[in-house]
Amino acid sequence: MEKEIIRSYLEINSLNQLLPSSYESKDIFVEDNVKPNFELCKFFYKKIGKDFFWKDRLSWSDQQWIDYVGNNFFKLYILKHKDQFAGYYELLLDSSKKSMEIAYFGIFKEFYGKGIGGYLLTDAIITSFKKDIKRIWVHTCTLDHPNALKNYLARGMKIFKTEKIFFDPENL
């Protein structure tokens, strides 16, 4: 049975448009000098994405993962609660367009509903604008966490495009 999905594309074009999260905790921080490791990226992708139909990379070989994380345009950032993984985001730089894509973004279930997603997105936006870019964009869909779109909008991002997608979950 086909299911209709709405995909929303959002952007923010200036740090002045950011509505930062007010979440504060001395126990939460983002590691920003992470040397990309394909196994770590694969772990985050599978663990966070399993509930949201993240499927496109499941068929990747180890070499495809290695090639992806080894590119200069790729950066990995890890959210930690004390010494425990709490979430992550991936940034993909397009220097020719002075654009940054938040390619993947998510937190682990045990951190849902605490405001940590807003904290992490605020960090992603601030970090991106430090790279001399003019635009940050992301896409989300109705398969993602119910608060995903709300979080992007709450941080000042604006929808610039939506589309309907139909797929059969049984064939994935």
Side-chain angles (χ1 to χ4, degrees):
M1 173 123 183
E2 280 200 336
K3 182 173 181 167
E4 179 183 277
I5 306 304
I6 305 296
R7 183 182 291 159
S8 299
Y9 295 82
L10 299 98
E11 66 184 353
I12 188 167
N13 297 298
S14 164
L15 191 55
N16 294 332
Q17 296 171 334
L18 173 64
L19 304 171
S21 166
S22 61
Y23 180 87
E24 289 185 34
S25 171
K26 63 181 186 229
D27 295 330
I28 291 284
F29 63 96
V30 177
E31 282 189 4
D32 59 358
N33 285 321
V34 179
K35 182 169 172 54
N37 170 311
F38 85 93
E39 291 172 329
L40 185 58
C41 291
K42 197 162 136 178
F43 163 77
F44 282 119
Y45 179 85
K46 286 181 173 183
K47 177 97 169 148
I48 292 173
K50 71 180 177 187
D51 295 324
F52 304 112
F53 286 92
W54 292 5
K55 304 278 187 188
D56 55 320
R57 294 183 184 177
L58 293 179
S59 63
W60 282 14
S61 68
D62 285 352
Q63 189 59 53
Q64 286 173 295
W65 279 100
I66 290 166
D67 292 345
Y68 176 71
V69 303
N71 281 304
N72 290 333
F73 60 78
F74 173 85
K75 297 291 181 209
L76 173 68
Y77 298 84
I78 298 174
L79 180 69
K80 287 194 167 180
H81 177 259
K82 299 180 181 175
D83 287 331
Q84 177 185 4
F85 289 143
Y88 85 124
Y89 64 89
E90 296 176 3
L91 296 179
L92 300 177
L93 174 66
D94 183 341
S95 56
S96 68
K97 295 181 180 177
K98 292 196 171 225
S99 175
M100 186 77 76
E101 177 186 2
I102 302 172
Y104 281 90
F105 176 96
I107 60 175
F108 293 125
K109 285 182 184 180
E110 57 267 31
F111 298 100
Y112 289 176
K114 298 179 177 167
I116 293 172
Y119 170 86
L120 186 60
L121 183 56
T122 297
D123 187 84
I125 292 170
I126 291 170
T127 298
S128 295
F129 277 120
K130 288 179 181 176
K131 306 289 185 199
D132 188 34
I133 57 146
K134 297 184 188 274
R135 176 180 184 247
I136 302 165
W137 70 278
V138 66
H139 65 78
T140 189
C141 73
T142 50
L143 291 174
D144 285 337
H145 189 280
N147 290 337
L149 181 60
K150 293 176 197 171
N151 187 24
Y152 296 127
L153 294 170
R155 303 288 73 80
M157 299 187 91
K158 305 289 185 214
I159 296 173
F160 67 90
K161 176 179 157 184
T162 59
E163 61 187 5
K164 289 182 184 178
I165 302 165
F166 296 92
F167 85 104
D168 185 349
E170 300 296 320
N171 291 330
L172 290 179

